[in-house]
Amino acid sequence: MKTPVKATLIALGVAIVLAIVAIVFTMTQRAAEPAPPEGERLQTVRTDSHVLDRGGDGAVTVVEFLDFECEACGAFYPIVEDLRTRFAGDITYVVRYFPLPGHINSTQAALAAEAAAQQDRFEDMYHRLFETQAQWGENSVETPEVFRGFAEDLGLDLAAYDAAIADPATLERVQADKSDGEKLGVRSTPSFFIDGQAVTLEAWGDLEAAIEEAIGADR
């Protein structure tokens, strides 16, 4: 290789290395991002979160990130319902959406629940979706007509329901829950938080034990 060409390549290589070093230095020296506005802080519950049970003063807040098509969520459903009854008044129970990409109908189900919520019927649709999960879950195609049928069975205003399903804001509401979950480290469903702390589930009774411990600590 001729000396002038070799010298040019070396100079070019040095320039590239210096540019990379400069970029890395700039990134590492960047000032910390400012704290988000109060309403945007990382949190397990927001003002528009769906509350199934509201406990009394000093109640423990239990938050579940769920996917209506998730079989594990379906298996936990009766456990959750039992805990809601047993700890009535001692817990505030909050449900948030976390549709998983591997479930074809999970987003459609969440949209149905959110559309029902706009008619103050969230819990009715919540129950219907879990009680019928075996009928529509694990399909290879989306079946929005099934969920519309549930809306009709529940006596919802179908025109309002259809408008809510078509409104991009309804999907944005679902995605906002999932975004919060991802920031909190949620990777699977169901995922539970008690008073802002993630619950580690290794056995069926772990959620109950965590609730009992939290209630005892608050007394």
Side-chain angles (χ1 to χ4, degrees):
M1 182 180 291
K2 294 183 179 180
T3 301
V5 175
K6 184 176 182 180
T8 300
L9 292 176
I10 292 174
L12 181 60
V14 171
I16 292 173
V17 170
L18 290 175
I20 294 173
V21 170
I23 292 172
V24 172
F25 179 82
T26 300
M27 293 178 66
T28 56
Q29 296 300 313
R30 183 181 299 164
E33 293 184 3
E38 184 65 29
E40 293 299 316
R41 289 187 184 281
L42 189 62
Q43 53 196 325
T44 56
V45 181
R46 292 187 180 272
T47 56
D48 64 350
S49 294
H50 298 302
V51 180
L52 297 183
D53 301 304
R54 199 174 295 279
D57 293 339
V60 169
T61 299
V62 182
V63 179
E64 178 184 3
F65 283 87
L66 59 77
D67 175 338
F68 287 109
E69 191 173 356
C70 166
E71 291 184 346
C73 293
F76 257 95
Y77 169 68
I79 295 174
V80 166
E81 291 306 293
D82 177 61
L83 295 177
R84 288 177 58 197
T85 299
R86 290 171 52 201
F87 293 110
D90 289 326
I91 64 172
T92 292
Y93 202 87
V94 182
V95 170
R96 304 195 68 183
Y97 306 115
F98 200 85
L100 296 170
H103 293 151
I104 300 299
N105 270 312
S106 58
T107 296
Q108 289 295 324
L111 290 174
E114 186 58 26
Q118 294 180 24
Q119 298 187 45
D120 296 322
R121 301 291 300 278
F122 174 82
E123 186 166 359
D124 292 331
M125 184 63 80
Y126 161 87
H127 289 305
R128 182 59 61 90
L129 290 170
F130 276 129
E131 290 166 357
T132 62
Q133 186 191 75
Q135 299 174 24
W136 54 266
E138 303 301 324
N139 276 315
S140 58
V141 295
E142 293 184 340
T143 56
E145 67 281 358
V146 171
F147 306 118
R148 190 177 190 275
F150 295 159
E152 184 174 13
D153 291 342
L154 292 173
L156 299 186
D157 180 329
L158 291 183
Y161 175 88
D162 291 340
I165 294 295
D167 187 350
T170 306
L171 177 59
E172 290 171 5
R173 170 66 183 77
V174 172
Q175 292 175 331
D177 267 9
K178 186 171 185 182
S179 178
D180 273 359
E182 290 172 341
K183 292 173 185 176
L184 288 162
V186 174
R187 296 293 179 268
S188 61
T189 57
S191 285
F192 298 92
F193 291 80
I194 295 180
D195 286 343
Q197 299 298 313
V199 178
T200 299
L201 298 178
E202 296 179 346
W204 292 109
D206 287 346
L207 178 59
E208 177 183 356
I211 292 174
E212 289 178 337
E213 181 179 356
I215 291 174
D218 285 351
R219 288 178 176 170

